[in-house]
Amino acid sequence: MSTVLAYAALTLRLNLRNAMAMIYGYLFPLVFLAAFAIIYRHDPAPVIGHLGELLTITALGGACFGLPTAIVAERERGVWRRYRATPTGAGTFIAGLVLSRLVLLLSAAAIQLSIAIVALGMPLPRDPLGLIVAFTMVSGALIGLGMIVGMLANTVPAVQALGQCIFLPMLMIGGVAVRLSSLPDWVQTLSAFFPGRYAVAAIQTAATGGGLGTAAFDLFALAVFTLSAALIAASLFRWDSGRRRADRRLLAGGLALWLTIGCMGAWMNADRGHGIVDNAPVAPPATYLRGSSAPHVGMTPDTSPAAPANGAGETPPDQSPPAPPVGKPQSWQTVTAADIGRIAFERLPDDEGLVSPIAQRGTLDDPAVEQQIARIRTALAGWPPAQVPDPVQRTRNLLAIAAVPDVLQIDPLERHLPWLVFDRLRLDIARADLPRILYWISQHPDEGDDTAIAQFDTLGLPTVSGPTTRVRERIMVYALKFLARLPTTRDDASGGTGGAMRPCDLGRNAERASPC
Amino acid sequence: MSGPARVPPVPVLEVAGLRKRYGMLDALAGLNFQVHAGEIVGLLGPNGAGKTSTIESIAGLVQPDGGTIRLCEEALDRQGRGRIGLALQATALQDAIRPREALALFARLYRVRPDLDALLRRFGLVEQAERLYGQLSGGQKQRLALALAFVNDPALILLDEPTAGLDPAARSALHDLIRQLAADGCAVLLATHDMAEAERLCDRLLVIDKGIAIAEGEPVALIGGERDSVLIEGRADRPLDGLLLPSLPDLTVSGPDFRCRTTDPNRTMAAIIAAIDDQGARLTALHLGRVSLEETILSLTGKGPLA
């Protein structure tokens, strides 16, 4: 073990003395960071929403180019040949190389994150420890890929060629640089056979999602990819450039594992629908009622620069006076102003956060997105779910138009489309009914059917299949956010007997984005 | 040069029936030899004779197809190789490594704790200890390779063309180091193409060809068979007809050049000059010299003009 550590330490020192290794290892990740900050400059919170992609690209670069270049360069020179004549086995050198590369990747990512937080104002990751675990596992899988490249390539130029063969497909169709939700189904199926998509999901879950537990399969897949790559690399291992002979049993075992986890991933993808990428959980409905003792979990204000200082995931103290005991309304028609008055709008996720974001009205400056929203507006006229007689179901269906792009993180559409839905609801649903229906939906997110989601293709939106729990949660949040935006909520709900609820009473969400 | 008086009866290295095949080619076809403590044995032969395969098989860099290798009377295994020092022709290290770091690394790989300062002093690398490998001269790199070969205090040192590409001064310095290693009781197996080096440095020579030993002995003894011979080399001003030259043993003609080995130089030269004169040609160069080790090896392996 001490020899492994000593060899890893020496390898690190040699890397530090190599200007090119430093440029590739530390400067490039910062270039990636700058590129992400520029590309996603309109994100409500800098970088954090794309941390999965950013860190995966960082690991990919270091693992698929840096590591095999070092391996092949040493092997070409005969250094490994000389090592072979010592009593120390290959495992020591491989372990040392992997360890040193892991340290390099972790330190590069740490520098990247530090600069993102300090210089760009990126919010702190939601689960820092989980992020370290996820990134370490991602690095392990990608280092395995780098090992395979190192064993296959005979020369350093060959490393570049082979590395690109992994790097580019992973970026384009592997779910790393291009959102899977924007790719055809067959590409999504193919992406299940690349570790990239699991890497992005695992890191993003730790950064903004609901903890590593919700990325269990992604972590499992990464572990299997690591094992598979290790077997394949071991089957191809050679001490010198000229002799290439594969251990067929190890190779077959590694490939079989690879195919198995790819098939499992493809099956899981089909099962869980159209690339739901935002798994951040939302608090239960009761959380948003004053006097409720329900825990305030899963919100995202901690990921926003404007977040209160009470820390991530903590329950904000309920400082409002306790509401008088009120019986639960039995139907949406019996919802009263008192019921609506119990809503703690200030507990809603921030409009600039990741969960159910809403841009300020009039801030859309992307002509392409404007055109897309215009097309959806036109298509809505003939969209059957928007015509169903039941006003509650119709409202649910319309809210889904805001919720699905939110869950799929189709940015910036997800932040501007809610206004279309909001305006449509105000036109379509009776003024007195809308607050009651929105309240009802917010407190009964599990009711109604969600077949409308399967009909999104006619709106030009991705069709989501499989479990729709996250979509229903976002429908609930949007219902509350829209309720907050109705200018005279209490008057309407109470038949004009109560005082008007002004947007300024509704907390910072409405203050920031009120249409009034 | 170490003398035979220091050679103990028990060999440090015993190679018996060593075989290695690459595809259809027998690189080693049943090689047998021994190396004793304090002895420098030169491994000679033309390209493809099997020298490198022999060194690589003993060092564990290739897996032999047959035969036995024993080190200090024990079958050689991975742990046994910890008692072998190795300096390959193309030993190269990372450009960014420092000699002291390289010695420390190899000490760890061999699981030994040598006095690194003493090693650096012994191989003249004290001033270069903290310089980067890429900044060392060829001679300094080879001295470092030898130092690495000695880091584990080996019973046997394998050297493959250790002085290739070095200037005469650096080569001479390395020869002194190798002699010193042998004087300290180390067995040295040296594969080389440099006949002068082999003649000056080695106690015993092993000539191999096509994977087997074809001659073995002290350099003086190997050349001894040719001690009374004289080599005549010359050139005419036009191509010569070999058939019209007198029939002499080991005479070869190539265009205007001729070579001949003889124990009676007076009569042979007279006969050659007369024959050239008869062909209407004129002698432009003539040289008489002693038959060298190289000529002897070339003759033995059937690759040279004397064969």
Side-chain angles (χ1 to χ4, degrees):
Chain A
M1 189 59 193
S2 64
T3 305
V4 171
L5 294 178
Y7 185 63
L10 176 66
T11 305
L12 280 173
R13 284 204 299 277
L14 298 186
N15 260 285
L16 291 173
R17 291 174 197 157
N18 185 328
M20 289 309 292
M22 286 296 95
I23 289 172
Y24 277 110
Y26 291 103
L27 189 59
F28 271 32
L30 297 183
V31 172
F32 295 148
L33 173 63
F36 269 68
I38 293 167
I39 293 168
Y40 300 108
R41 62 191 177 283
H42 297 305
D43 274 12
V47 182
I48 190 83
H50 297 274
L51 207 56
E53 294 107 300
L54 176 64
L55 292 183
T56 301
I57 290 174
T58 298
L60 256 180
C64 290
F65 291 107
L67 175 65
T69 299
I71 289 174
V72 173
E74 287 191 0
R75 200 175 52 210
E76 265 188 309
R77 296 182 72 114
V79 178
W80 281 31
R81 210 170 128 74
R82 183 63 186 83
Y83 288 161
R84 188 184 187 182
T86 71
T88 302
T92 299
F93 300 105
I94 298 297
L97 279 173
V98 168
L99 188 60
S100 64
R101 184 56 52 175
L102 204 54
V103 172
L104 281 172
L105 290 179
L106 283 167
S107 57
I111 292 171
Q112 215 175 17
L113 289 175
S114 302
I115 290 178
I117 291 167
V118 174
L120 302 177
M122 187 187 85
L124 287 175
R126 184 177 187 79
D127 178 5
L129 191 62
L131 185 62
I132 293 171
V133 171
F135 185 73
T136 304
M137 293 191 68
V138 168
S139 300
L142 299 182
I143 283 172
L145 275 185
M147 279 287 175
I148 295 175
V149 173
M151 294 308 137
L152 284 174
N154 266 340
T155 61
V156 172
V159 168
Q160 299 303 316
L162 274 171
Q164 293 292 358
C165 288
I166 292 174
F167 194 71
L168 290 177
M170 199 95 84
L171 291 189
M172 305 311 292
I173 60 171
V176 175
V178 179
R179 289 246 182 243
L180 285 173
S181 52
S182 63
L183 296 172
D185 283 345
W186 68 269
V187 175
Q188 293 194 41
T189 302
L190 190 62
S191 73
F193 293 84
F194 295 92
R197 61 176 293 169
Y198 310 102
V200 172
I203 293 172
Q204 196 61 50
T205 301
T208 60
L212 283 188
T214 57
F217 180 75
D218 299 305
L219 294 176
F220 171 70
L222 288 169
V224 175
F225 274 116
T226 305
L227 179 61
S228 164
L231 287 175
I232 295 172
S235 78
L236 298 169
F237 179 82
R238 55 209 169 112
W239 287 100
D240 49 48
S241 302
R243 293 156 193 171
R244 184 153 56 187
R245 189 179 299 165
D247 182 320
R248 290 182 182 176
R249 280 187 303 177
L250 280 180
L251 184 62
L255 289 174
L257 265 180
W258 195 289
L259 287 173
T260 304
I261 194 63
C263 290
M264 283 177 70
W267 178 78
M268 293 285 285
N269 182 47
D271 184 54
R272 68 180 171 181
H274 203 99
I276 292 177
V277 291
D278 181 357
N279 279 316
V282 171
T287 307
Y288 303 108
L289 296 182
R290 284 197 176 80
S292 161
S293 60
H296 184 71
V297 296
M299 296 293 99
T300 56
D302 53 308
T303 61
S304 163
N310 58 330
E314 289 179 14
T315 304
D318 185 356
Q319 295 170 343
S320 57
V326 179
K328 280 190 173 180
Q330 296 305 305
S331 68
W332 69 267
Q333 290 93 341
T334 60
V335 172
T336 65
D339 294 323
I340 294 174
R342 292 181 66 212
I343 296 175
F345 289 108
E346 70 279 6
R347 294 181 188 171
L348 284 169
D350 195 278
D351 285 346
E352 294 180 3
L354 291 170
V355 173
S356 304
I358 301 179
Q360 289 191 41
R361 202 189 267 276
T363 57
L364 177 57
D365 56 359
D366 186 334
V369 178
E370 276 182 24
Q371 287 176 11
Q372 189 178 6
I373 291 175
R375 281 196 300 271
I376 295 169
R377 183 181 288 115
T378 306
L380 260 180
W383 193 50
Q387 324 297 329
V388 295
D390 177 7
V392 179
Q393 184 60 52
R394 194 157 75 242
T395 302
R396 282 188 197 279
N397 295 346
L398 288 167
L399 286 170
I401 295 173
V404 168
D406 170 31
V407 168
L408 294 177
Q409 289 193 330
I410 304 176
D411 190 63
L413 182 68
E414 61 170 330
R415 290 181 287 124
H416 295 280
L417 199 53
W419 286 118
L420 168 66
V421 177
F422 182 70
D423 294 342
R424 172 80 186 195
L425 285 170
R426 294 183 68 190
L427 281 173
D428 193 51
I429 308 294
R431 192 178 176 208
D433 293 344
L434 186 56
R436 294 189 176 95
I437 292 173
L438 288 174
Y439 176 89
W440 183 262
I441 290 173
S442 75
Q443 297 306 304
H444 301 87
D446 298 330
E447 291 185 359
D449 72 65
D450 43 26
T451 54
I453 298 170
Q455 303 176 55
F456 270 24
D457 50 346
T458 56
L459 297 177
L461 289 170
T463 302
V464 175
S465 59
T468 54
T469 312
R470 294 280 180 249
V471 177
R472 285 175 175 274
E473 288 173 351
R474 305 306 166 91
I475 285 174
M476 174 191 77
V477 177
Y478 275 121
L480 288 168
K481 286 193 169 187
F482 288 171
L483 188 56
R485 280 171 171 77
L486 292 176
T488 54
T489 297
R490 200 176 295 172
D491 281 347
D492 295 338
S494 62
T497 56
M501 179 180 281
R502 295 295 169 196
C504 56
D505 299 327
L506 304 180
R508 58 199 170 86
N509 291 287
E511 279 178 46
R512 193 167 292 136
S514 170
C516 303
Chain B
M1 196 184 303
S2 52
R6 282 187 278 105
V7 177
V10 177
V12 172
L13 175 70
E14 269 183 287
V15 172
L18 192 62
R19 285 186 287 109
K20 179 64 189 173
R21 193 175 179 87
Y22 294 109
M24 299 297 290
L25 177 72
D26 279 320
L28 297 174
L31 185 63
N32 303 292
F33 68 93
Q34 298 177 343
V35 184
H36 295 85
E39 187 183 29
I40 303 175
V41 173
L43 202 54
L44 303 179
N47 287 333
K51 300 189 297 293
T52 298
S53 292
T54 304
I55 295 281
E56 288 183 341
S57 296
I58 298 166
L61 300 181
V62 299
Q63 184 65 38
D65 295 323
T68 57
I69 303 172
R70 294 175 70 81
L71 186 73
C72 300
E73 299 188 289
E74 289 180 10
L76 190 57
D77 56 11
R78 175 174 282 280
Q79 291 311 312
R81 290 198 171 94
R83 302 187 62 193
I84 295 177
L86 176 69
L88 295 169
Q89 179 183 3
T91 294
L93 299 172
Q94 299 92 336
D95 276 340
I97 203 169
R98 304 181 197 282
R100 183 185 292 279
E101 286 175 332
L103 289 171
L105 170 68
F106 276 78
R108 205 172 260 283
L109 298 180
Y110 281 104
R111 297 162 194 149
V112 293
R113 291 178 182 273
D115 181 341
L116 297 185
D117 289 322
L119 269 176
L120 288 165
R121 274 197 305 275
R122 179 173 191 176
F123 290 91
L125 291 166
V126 173
E127 288 178 15
Q128 292 78 29
E130 301 302 331
R131 286 175 62 185
L132 300 184
Y133 182 78
Q135 297 170 344
L136 301 180
S137 69
Q140 289 164 347
K141 286 178 179 172
Q142 280 302 80
R143 288 211 301 275
L144 178 57
L146 269 184
L148 292 178
F150 211 68
V151 79
N152 54 332
D153 192 16
L156 169 71
I157 287 196
L158 305 173
L159 304 173
D160 190 4
E161 306 280 356
T163 59
L166 296 186
D167 63 47
R171 186 180 297 134
S172 175
L174 271 181
H175 287 171
D176 290 343
L177 276 174
I178 294 167
R179 282 194 199 97
Q180 187 58 49
L181 297 182
D184 290 345
C186 200
V188 179
L189 180 62
L190 165 75
T192 182
H193 273 116
D194 186 337
M195 298 302 160
E197 177 175 87
E199 195 172 349
R200 277 204 304 266
L201 196 58
C202 297
D203 302 313
R204 192 156 54 87
L205 299 175
L206 182 71
V207 184
I208 62 174
D209 192 27
K210 296 184 178 70
I212 55 168
I214 56 171
E216 185 179 357
E218 293 177 29
V220 174
L222 274 182
I223 303 169
E226 307 287 346
R227 190 164 292 167
D228 297 330
S229 295
V230 171
L231 182 69
I232 302 171
E233 293 174 297
R235 167 172 286 189
D237 62 351
R238 67 183 65 174
L240 298 172
D241 184 349
L243 295 175
L244 296 177
L245 287 171
S247 176
L248 293 168
D250 300 325
L251 173 72
T252 56
V253 174
S254 174
D257 296 319
F258 61 88
R259 275 167 82 93
C260 180
R261 189 178 58 182
T262 178
T263 52
D264 186 1
N266 293 356
R267 292 182 190 283
T268 304
M269 277 180 60
I272 289 172
I273 291 169
I276 290 172
D277 196 46
D278 288 346
Q279 291 187 34
R282 191 165 61 88
L283 199 61
T284 58
L286 188 64
H287 177 259
L288 276 77
R290 188 174 73 87
V291 173
S292 67
L293 177 62
E294 182 174 2
E295 294 289 343
T296 305
I297 300 300
L298 290 172
S299 174
L300 285 168
T301 57
K303 299 283 165 60
L306 300 186

